[in-house]
Amino acid sequence: MKKMTKADRERSRKALSYATRRRILDLGRERGLTERGIAIRCDISQSTIHSVLQDESICPGLRTIFKICEGMEITAAEFFNQDFEKYMARMEKELSKKEKRK
C-alpha cells in the first residue's frame, strides 16, 4: 500500500469536509430545512451547524454526524451513501487539479 503524503492527507481531509457539508445541505434541502431548522431538528447548536456548513476547514466529529443522522431519521450508512462518495471523489479530483497547476 502506498504511504500517504502530507498533501494526500490534506486533500482527503478537505474532500471529507466538503462531502460532509454537501450531504448535510442535501438532507436539509430534502426536508425543507434552513440552517436553523437543521440545528433544531438535530439538537445541535446553530453555531455548530453554521461552522460546519460555512467553514471549509471544519469537519464535524462522529458524535455530531450521529446526531444529524438521528435528527434526519437516517442511519450512518445512509448518510455515507453513494452521493457522499461522489462528493468526495469530485472534490479530490478538483484539489488534485489545483495542486498540479501550482
Side-chain angles (χ1 to χ4, degrees), residues 10-21:
E10 183 63 17
R11 186 173 46 251
S12 291
R13 188 192 62 72
K14 285 182 179 180
L16 179 62
S17 179
Y18 170 81
T20 302
R21 237 183 0 267

Side-chain angles (χ1 to χ4, degrees), residues 16-28:
L16 179 62
S17 179
Y18 170 81
T20 302
R21 237 183 0 267
R22 286 295 310 263
R23 186 69 177 121
I24 294 167
L25 287 169
D26 286 351
L27 290 167

Side-chain angles (χ1 to χ4, degrees), residues 30-42:
E30 288 168 9
R31 290 158 178 79
L33 300 171
T34 62
E35 227 177 72
R36 184 173 183 271
I38 293 169
I40 291 168
R41 184 169 179 164
C42 299

Side-chain angles (χ1 to χ4, degrees), residues 68-80:
I68 290 167
C69 291
E70 187 177 310
M72 299 293 184
E73 299 176 345
I74 62 171
T75 65
E78 290 169 320
F79 183 89
F80 296 107

Side-chain angles (χ1 to χ4, degrees), residues 53-95:
L53 296 180
Q54 302 301 322
D55 187 346
E56 293 180 13
S57 67
I58 301 287
C59 190
L62 285 176
R63 182 173 296 164
T64 301
I65 290 173
F66 287 140
K67 286 183 90 170
I68 290 167
C69 291
E70 187 177 310
M72 299 293 184
E73 299 176 345
I74 62 171
T75 65
E78 290 169 320
F79 183 89
F80 296 107
N81 68 6
Q82 293 166 337
D83 289 338
F84 189 88
E85 290 177 26
K86 259 191 320 195
Y87 296 146
M88 282 279 298
R90 183 183 310 145
M91 183 50 97
E92 285 180 334
K93 188 175 180 179
E94 286 179 31
L95 292 169

